[in-house]
Amino acid sequence: MPDGALPVLDVRDLKTVFKTRSGEVHAVNDVSFSLRPGELLGVVGESGSGKSVTMMSLLGLLPSPPADVRNGSVMFDDKDLLNVDAETLRKVRGGKIGFVFQDPMTSLNPVFTVGVQIMEPLRKHMGMSKKQAAARSQELLELVGIPDAKRRLGDYPHQFSGGMRQRVMIAIALACDPQVLIADEPTTALDVTIQAQILELMKELRTKLGMAVIWITHDLGVIAGIADRVMVMYGGQVVEHAPVANLFNDPQHPYTRALLKTIPTIHGERAARLTVIEGQPPIMTAPPASCPFRDRCDVAFDRCENENPQRYDLGAGHDAACFYNARTGAPRDA
Amino acid sequence: MLDSPQTPLVSVRDLKMHFPIHAGLLRRRVGEVKAVDGVSFDVMEGETLGLVGESGCGKSTCGRAVLRLYDITSGEITIDGAEIGDTSQSKLRKMRPTMQMVFQDPQASLNPRMTVEAIIKEPLDEHTKLSESEKREKVGELMDAVGLNRQFAKRYPQAFSGGQRQRIGIARALALNPKFIVCDEPIAALDVSIQAQVVNLLEDLQEQLGLTYLFISHDLSMVRHIATRVAVMYLGKIVELAPREELYAEPLHPYTRALLSAVPEPDPSLATSNERIVLQGDVPSPANPPEGCNFCTRCPSVMDICKTVEPEYFEVAPGRFTACHLYQNTNDTAD
C-alpha cells in the first residue's frame, strides 16, 4: 500500500440526519476517512450502524427529504462532491466512482437485456458508439468471468443465477474504469461457494485494474480475507480503524473486541458457550452526547456517559474512539 | 452424554418431496422439482442435528417435510414412536404438540395484528383446555423462559427488535411442551451480536427442557457451535452426515470440503495461508439434476463413474455416512 500517496477519496466530518415523523435520526455522525489509490477499505458494522448511509450520502444517492446531509466534505478529483451541481455528480457516479449494491436480484432492470444495461454507462459516460459499447460490454463480461459472453449479452437478468447477476453488476460498475469502486454487501445475498468465487474475482480484478475499493459488509470473515484497512462503525460513528492485521490481532475498541469474540469459527477452539453482547444497538434520535456503545460495554465508566469519545490515534494507522485504554487497562487522560 | 446408547426420537427413511411443474395453457404436468430426493437420517433424543447446505439444496423443504407441513411424495417419518409419513392431516393435528417449528423470518412469521400474548397463547387455545387465567400465567412463564419482559405482553410484534421477535417465535414453539423443534434458519435474519443471544437461549432451553433440535442453517460456523452431528445437503440429497468434530476436522465428501474451505474465517493470517477450493459453476437445477452423482458437474475429484452411477449413501466409518464413489471403492475392496 503506498502510504504517502494522496488519497483518491477524502471524507471529512460527514453528518447525515433523517427527518421522520417521530423526530430526527442521526444516522451518520462526523464520519471521516480517506481512501488511498489501489487499496481496499473494509467497512464493518451491524445493520443500522450507518455504513451504507455513509456511502449513499457521499454520492448524493439519498432522497432529500427525508435525508439531510448536514455537514462535511467529500473530496474527490479536487472537487467537493457535497458542493457540486447535479450534472457533475451524475458524471462521477457510474463513471469514476462505481457502485455495486447488495441485492443482485433487484438492482438490475428485468425488462432490459444485460447487454443494454452494461452499455448504458458506456454510452452515457464515455460517449461510445453502439458498436464500441457492445464490444466493450463483451470484454467486461469476460473480465468478470461469465462464459459465452457474447451470447449472454442478449439475455435478460432472470436468465442469470444470483452469482452471475452479481458478476454482471460488477461488470456494470467497472464499465467506465472507475478510480473508486464502492461495494455495499456485494456477497451477502450469495451462498458461500459463490461468495468465494466473487471474492477471488475481486482480488484478481484489483491487481489487474488497480482501483481503490470500499467494501461494506457485516461479515468479519470476508473482511479478514480481502481488506487492507478496516473501519468499524457503530451507532453512526467510526469506533475503530486499523490495518487489517492490527484490527484482528490487537483490537482496541470494546465493541470490536466483543464482536470478534461473539462469532464462532470453523477452525480453532470451539467455545462451550458463545460470548454475548447484551442489549441492542442504539437508535440515534439525538446527536450523540455520550458514547453510543456505553450501555453494552463492559469497561464503561462515568466519562462515557457524559462525553462522546473522539478517535484517539494509537499509532501505526490505528485509532479507536474509546476513553478506555485497552493496552494499559486504565482510562485515558482527559 | 454422548456415550450412552441413544435412541432416535426422529427417524427419517428415504424421504422424497417432489413438487410438480405445470406449464402450458392446460397447465399440464411437465416435470417435477426434486427438492428432497431420498433423504434418510435419525435425530437422537436430546441432540441437535445440524442440517447445512446452500440455498436451493432442499434443507428447508426437508425440515418442513419432516413435520409433514407438506404431503410428502414418499418415505417414512417416525417421530416419538409414531409413524407420520402417511397420516392424515386431521390425525396429525393431535400430534402437533410434540413437534414444533421456529421460522427464519421473525418479521413474516408473526401476525402483526396480534399482540405478543395472543401469539404465544394461540397454540394453547388450539390444543389445551386450560382456563383463560391459566393460559395467561403460562404465557407469562414462557416469556420469562425466553427472556422477554412480561410487561410487554400487550404489545404488537413491530414494537420489538429482530432478536426479540425471534424470542417470541421460540416462546410460541415452546408453548405446548414439544419434544422436537425444527429451527429453520432461526438466526439468519439477525445481526451478529444478536445471533449469539438467540443461540445461547436455544442451548439453555435444550438443556432445561431436554429438547431435540433439527437446526437448519447455511452458517457453517454457527452449526459447528450448536450441533451434535451435522448433515450436509446438496441438490436434494444428504452427501455427508457425521459427528460435528469429525466433519469439521476431516470432511470426507468433496462438496463438504469445498463448502468448509469457502467459509471466510475472521483471521487474516488464516485467510492468506489457507488454500481455498473454489468451486466452478453454479448448482444445477433440481428440476433437471445431472445423471450419476448430483455433484459431478462441479466436483474437483470427479471420476468417470460419477457421471453415470449414482453413489450410494452408506456408513463409511462408525457414525459417518457419505455418498461418494471415492469411498465406495475402498469399502468394496475391504469387504
Side-chain angles (χ1 to χ4, degrees):
Chain A
M1 203 194 324
D3 238 7
L6 279 173
V8 274
L9 183 71
D10 193 47
V11 177
R12 291 288 140 223
D13 304 321
L14 191 69
K15 196 168 178 58
T16 304
V17 176
F18 286 98
K19 286 181 189 139
T20 68
R21 258 183 295 174
S22 46
E24 291 186 337
V25 176
H26 293 250
V28 177
N29 293 305
D30 296 326
V31 166
S32 301
F33 66 92
S34 61
L35 184 69
R36 297 179 205 129
E39 80 166 338
L40 195 145
L41 174 70
V43 182
V44 219
E46 297 177 81
S47 38
S49 63
K51 52 195 194 305
S52 296
V53 176
T54 302
M55 301 308 153
M56 307 272 275
S57 310
L58 65 90
L59 289 180
L61 285 173
L62 292 170
S64 175
D68 177 13
V69 182
R70 284 213 179 141
N71 207 350
S73 66
V74 178
M75 295 307 292
F76 177 77
D77 227 5
D78 293 328
K79 284 188 281 279
D80 182 356
L81 295 187
L82 297 184
N83 280 318
V84 291
D85 55 282
E87 184 56 20
T88 319
L89 197 58
R90 199 182 61 76
K91 279 194 180 132
V92 169
R93 287 194 302 242
K96 287 182 174 163
I97 300 183
F99 214 108
V100 180
F101 294 95
Q102 169 170 4
D103 191 349
M105 309 301 157
T106 54
S107 29
L108 287 168
N109 190 331
V111 302
F112 290 110
T113 63
V114 159
V116 168
Q117 299 187 55
I118 306 182
M119 276 155 67
E120 187 186 336
L122 291 169
R123 295 187 41 103
K124 292 240 165 88
H125 289 294
M126 314 269 277
M128 285 187 182
S129 71
K130 249 188 174 162
K131 212 171 149 193
Q132 286 172 318
R136 173 82 177 131
S137 315
Q138 189 186 330
E139 261 175 47
L140 284 164
L141 281 196
E142 279 162 6
L143 181 72
V144 296
I146 293 183
D148 201 6
K150 192 169 187 182
R151 194 181 54 78
R152 304 284 334 231
L153 282 174
D155 282 352
Y156 288 88
H158 76 266
Q159 290 166 298
F160 290 79
S161 66
M164 284 294 160
R165 264 181 248 183
Q166 199 56 289
R167 284 168 193 257
V168 172
M169 287 305 300
I170 294 174
I172 294 175
L174 296 179
C176 303
D177 297 321
Q179 288 173 294
V180 175
L181 178 71
I182 299 178
D184 189 356
E185 305 252 10
T187 58
T188 305
L190 306 175
D191 279 315
V192 278
T193 61
I194 308 297
Q195 168 170 288
Q197 291 175 0
I198 300 282
L199 292 178
E200 288 298 313
L201 171 71
M202 218 46 230
K203 281 186 201 161
E204 205 187 296
L205 289 177
R206 268 186 65 213
T207 32
K208 218 186 267 179
L209 309 175
M211 62 191 168
V213 181
I214 298 175
W215 192 283
I216 305 172
T217 181
H218 66 273
D219 189 332
L220 285 160
V222 169
I223 284 292
I226 193 168
D228 300 316
R229 277 193 302 144
V230 188
M231 189 164 97
V232 183
M233 290 190 70
Y234 188 84
Q237 318 187 15
V238 179
V239 293
E240 185 159 6
H241 161 247
V244 67
N246 300 31
L247 188 94
F248 283 90
N249 300 332
D250 184 26
Q252 292 295 312
H253 195 280
Y255 175 64
T256 319
R257 280 185 284 144
L259 204 57
L260 282 169
K261 260 189 251 163
T262 157
I263 42 176
T265 59
I266 62 163
H267 297 104
E269 205 71 11
R270 177 183 166 274
R273 202 171 161 78
L274 292 177
T275 318
V276 161
I277 311 177
E278 294 295 348
Q280 301 288 333
I283 296 164
M284 311 299 290
T285 48
S290 50
C291 172
F293 189 59
R294 68 187 186 285
D295 292 337
R296 306 173 80 188
C297 182
D298 51 8
V299 292
F301 54 103
D302 308 346
R303 196 175 173 195
C304 312
E305 202 63 53
N306 305 321
E307 258 180 89
N308 187 14
Q310 79 213 51
R311 286 162 68 181
Y312 288 93
D313 187 357
L314 309 171
H318 195 152
D319 62 71
C322 183
F323 289 128
Y324 180 81
N325 187 338
R327 288 183 181 144
T328 59
R332 282 180 217 287
D333 300 327
Chain B
M1 124 198 162
L2 286 175
D3 294 334
S4 58
Q6 287 178 297
T7 42
L9 180 77
V10 178
S11 189
V12 176
R13 290 291 169 271
D14 205 24
L15 176 67
K16 287 186 183 167
M17 185 65 233
H18 297 174
F19 296 101
I21 307 170
H22 297 285
L25 191 61
L26 301 170
R27 313 307 298 161
R28 272 205 197 94
R29 188 171 171 148
V30 293
E32 48 197 7
V33 174
K34 296 175 178 167
V36 178
D37 198 21
V39 159
S40 303
F41 60 86
D42 290 331
V43 190
M44 302 301 167
E45 192 140 16
E47 85 164 347
T48 302
L49 179 71
L51 187 57
V52 299
E54 297 180 90
S55 45
C57 73
K59 54 189 190 304
S60 288
T61 308
C62 181
R64 286 161 177 249
V66 167
L67 291 187
R68 283 293 314 279
L69 299 185
Y70 297 123
D71 281 328
I72 60 173
T73 310
S74 66
E76 290 165 31
I77 304 163
T78 317
I79 295 182
D80 198 21
E83 160 64 41
I84 62 161
D86 54 2
T87 311
S88 70
Q89 290 292 351
S90 55
K91 271 198 191 135
L92 262 175
R93 201 178 159 75
K94 293 206 180 66
M95 306 176 186
R96 290 274 172 221
T98 31
M99 37 179 171
Q100 290 291 321
M101 185 143 182
V102 175
F103 296 91
Q104 168 169 7
D105 190 346
Q107 185 96 38
S109 60
L110 302 176
N111 188 336
R113 292 173 179 246
M114 287 166 80
T115 61
V116 169
E117 184 179 72
I119 290 170
I120 304 176
K121 195 161 72 78
E122 200 178 17
L124 299 171
D125 294 335
E126 293 291 325
H127 287 279
T128 66
K129 294 199 170 63
L130 298 175
S131 72
E132 232 9 72
S133 63
E134 282 171 327
K135 281 184 207 162
R136 215 165 289 141
E137 181 49 36
K138 175 86 183 167
V139 169
E141 282 167 22
L142 286 163
M143 290 184 75
D144 290 345
V146 298
L148 285 170
N149 193 331
R150 277 187 196 220
Q151 287 173 342
F152 298 158
K154 297 287 181 204
R155 294 196 185 180
Y156 290 88
Q158 64 267 30
F160 295 87
S161 67
Q164 288 171 318
R165 273 188 224 144
Q166 202 52 287
R167 288 172 195 265
I168 301 172
I170 294 170
R172 175 176 60 184
L174 290 175
L176 298 167
N177 305 318
K179 288 185 174 169
F180 177 54
I181 301 183
V182 173
C183 306
D184 185 5
E185 302 261 16
I187 53 164
L190 306 177
D191 264 319
V192 199
S193 75
I194 309 298
Q195 286 185 351
Q197 297 178 1
V198 172
V199 165
N200 281 356
L201 171 68
L202 285 171
E203 287 184 321
D204 289 345
L205 292 169
Q206 180 169 45
E207 205 174 287
Q208 290 160 20
L209 309 171
L211 297 169
T212 304
Y213 294 139
L214 178 64
F215 190 89
I216 301 168
S217 178
H218 68 275
D219 184 339
L220 287 141
S221 352
M222 198 54 96
V223 166
R224 178 178 180 227
H225 176 78
I226 197 170
T228 327
R229 295 185 306 141
V230 182
V232 182
M233 267 186 95
Y234 185 79
L235 210 61
K237 291 179 197 291
I238 292 182
V239 296
E240 184 164 358
L241 191 156
R244 177 224 308 149
E245 289 308 332
E246 273 125 298
L247 186 102
Y248 283 87
E250 190 213 349
L252 294 176
H253 198 282
Y255 177 64
T256 317
R257 281 191 219 148
L259 196 62
L260 287 176
S261 86
V263 177
E265 281 282 80
D267 182 348
S269 60
L270 271 179
T272 45
S273 69
N274 266 28
E275 206 39 59
R276 217 173 247 166
I277 311 169
V278 178
L279 289 179
Q280 299 303 312
D282 291 307
V283 185
S285 156
N288 186 20
E291 206 175 320
C293 174
N294 273 350
F295 189 52
C296 72
T297 53
R298 299 172 82 196
C299 183
S301 22
V302 63
M303 302 175 292
D304 286 341
I305 184 176
C306 307
K307 293 175 185 154
T308 49
V309 183
E310 193 191 322
E312 198 191 328
Y313 177 72
F314 74 110
E315 192 164 13
V316 61
R320 300 206 61 171
F321 297 83
T322 188
C324 180
H325 286 300
L326 287 175
Y327 304 97
Q328 225 114 28
N329 293 337
T330 56
N331 189 55
D332 287 348
T333 47
D335 281 345

